[in-house]
Amino acid sequence: MEDSRSEQRMLRRHHREKKELQARIQLMRSSVPKGDKKKRKQLHLDVARLEAELEQKHQQELEKFQEDFPGISNLDSVTEDLAKMDLENQSPHLLRAQRKRERRVALERSRQERIAEVNMEYLASFRQDEEEKLGAILEAKHLEMKDMPTDSHCMYRAIQDQLVFSVTVESLRNRTAEYMRKHIDDFLPFFSDPETGDAYSPDRFFSYCDDIVCSASWGGQLELRALSHILQTPIEVIQADSPAIVIGEEYTRKPLILVYVRYTCNFGEHYNSVKPQQAGATGGAAPRLF
């Protein structure tokens, strides 16, 4: 009897967690502007991940319960009984309203699945186009892309990969933050709240610099600007659909070269390093890059 009660408590908790997740997803959807295609696309991926994680968690708990209590074999039957019990305790008006909500949820889920399928097709097309364009650009420079781990340190790792001296990612982050703090007037005007457009206060800017050191915050052009000054070296960023960006052109050393990808990486925007083409790839020895 106690086993049965434990099972019912678990299933009721599963039902509650599913409802809480749907409420959370609804808040996530309402916070993303409908016209922001990039954020909407990321939202769809986040929702699918959250639903899959919860489904997997519940499935693992059900399987574990079956292993611990093999005498209770029909969990689906108990789940259906609990659902029927919930429905029987509702008034006809609430029952009709719930059925309408369930139909709307089912239709919305089906629509979102179709949208996700279309987005995946577009993403595959964009990815192929980006790979071909980057391949042609790097081919002309006798280079090829060198993949960096997708751990939010990719920009710093790409810089680290090309330096002739040994340095850690942590050191690069520390030196970047220190330089930006010391030259606040050069960087603060470029920072604004992405939601409101309000300019950063000095305190918020210093907090941003703290995040560079204490978290796996993603680096961008402003951090690259700081690194070019620290290293006194130009940094060239190659992109598929735009001309290469050269940061720190005032320096005369051979530039470090990064590749910025939007679609090639499964996790979104990402920086990779480069390496000389393999000897014989185009009929001759690859030039020395560093």
Side-chain angles (χ1 to χ4, degrees):
M1 180 64 70
E2 182 60 32
D3 296 348
S4 179
R5 289 199 188 98
S6 297
E7 182 182 35
Q8 291 189 20
R9 285 196 296 270
M10 178 182 65
L11 293 172
R12 287 186 183 278
R13 176 172 56 79
H14 287 184
H15 180 67
R16 184 180 69 253
E17 288 175 351
K18 287 179 180 178
K19 291 177 68 175
E20 290 172 351
L21 177 60
Q22 289 306 313
R24 179 184 171 189
I25 289 172
Q26 201 61 36
L27 285 173
M28 291 168 62
R29 285 177 175 151
S30 63
S31 67
V32 177
K34 292 183 178 180
D36 193 329
K37 294 182 180 179
K38 180 180 173 183
K39 288 188 178 180
R40 298 296 293 185
K41 184 182 294 184
Q42 185 60 47
L43 172 65
H44 297 155
L45 296 174
D46 290 341
V47 167
R49 176 179 56 80
L50 289 171
E51 290 179 336
E53 287 176 351
L54 185 62
E55 184 67 28
Q56 182 182 23
K57 172 177 174 286
H58 287 174
Q59 184 63 33
Q60 289 173 345
E61 289 180 353
L62 290 172
E63 292 173 356
K64 180 70 166 55
F65 190 89
Q66 286 179 321
E67 291 176 3
D68 294 341
F69 304 102
I72 301 178
S73 58
N74 196 349
L75 288 168
D76 290 338
S77 174
V78 177
T79 304
E80 291 176 5
D81 291 342
L82 287 171
K84 289 178 182 177
M85 194 188 315
D86 288 340
L87 293 177
E88 289 170 358
N89 291 333
Q90 294 181 9
S91 68
H93 174 72
L94 291 176
L95 181 58
R96 287 194 298 272
Q98 179 172 329
R99 285 174 176 167
K100 287 182 179 179
R101 284 196 300 271
E102 290 173 350
R103 284 197 295 271
R104 285 198 299 270
V105 168
L107 288 171
E108 175 63 16
R109 180 169 296 174
S110 176
R111 188 178 74 86
Q112 293 294 343
E113 288 174 353
R114 290 196 299 272
I115 291 173
E117 290 175 0
V118 172
N119 284 340
M120 289 303 293
E121 291 176 2
Y122 275 114
L123 182 60
S125 174
F126 293 154
R127 179 176 299 168
Q128 181 179 357
D129 183 60
E130 182 175 61
E131 288 176 347
E132 291 174 354
K133 290 179 178 178
L134 288 174
I137 294 170
L138 293 173
E139 173 77 22
K141 293 176 176 287
H142 303 289
L143 299 172
E144 58 186 59
M145 192 144 52
K146 183 176 180 181
D147 292 334
M148 296 290 104
T150 53
D151 58 2
S152 297
H153 301 295
C154 57
M155 188 198 77
Y156 298 96
R157 291 194 189 282
I159 293 291
Q160 176 196 40
D161 179 68
Q162 297 188 44
L163 294 174
V164 296
F165 54 88
S166 178
V167 64
T168 64
V169 167
E170 291 75 15
S171 175
L172 289 174
R173 282 185 171 275
N174 280 321
R175 293 177 67 183
T176 299
E178 181 182 7
Y179 185 91
M180 292 174 69
R181 290 191 194 101
K182 289 182 177 178
H183 300 83
I184 182 173
D185 292 340
D186 294 336
F187 292 95
L188 182 59
F190 297 98
F191 282 88
S192 62
D193 189 301
E195 299 295 332
T196 65
D198 294 339
Y200 268 24
S201 65
D203 286 343
R204 187 165 182 184
F205 173 79
F206 288 131
S207 177
Y208 180 94
C209 294
D210 291 340
D211 287 341
I212 293 175
V213 176
C214 301
S215 73
S217 61
W218 195 83
Q221 285 193 39
L222 293 172
E223 287 84 354
L224 287 175
R225 165 61 66 179
L227 283 165
S228 74
H229 289 309
I230 293 165
L231 301 169
Q232 296 189 346
T233 303
I235 300 173
E236 180 179 355
V237 182
I238 294 174
Q239 308 172 85
D241 294 313
S242 303
I245 299 171
V246 180
I247 299 167
E249 290 183 282
E250 60 269 37
Y251 300 111
T252 58
R253 293 178 180 174
K254 194 167 187 176
L256 306 176
I257 301 177
L258 278 60
V259 180
Y260 175 71
V261 297
R262 291 181 174 84
Y263 308 107
T264 304
C265 174
N266 291 330
F267 295 89
E269 298 174 354
H270 179 68
Y271 285 98
N272 278 324
S273 183
V274 296
K275 60 183 178 180
Q277 258 181 357
Q278 294 295 318
T282 58
R288 181 175 179 81
L289 180 62
F290 310 122

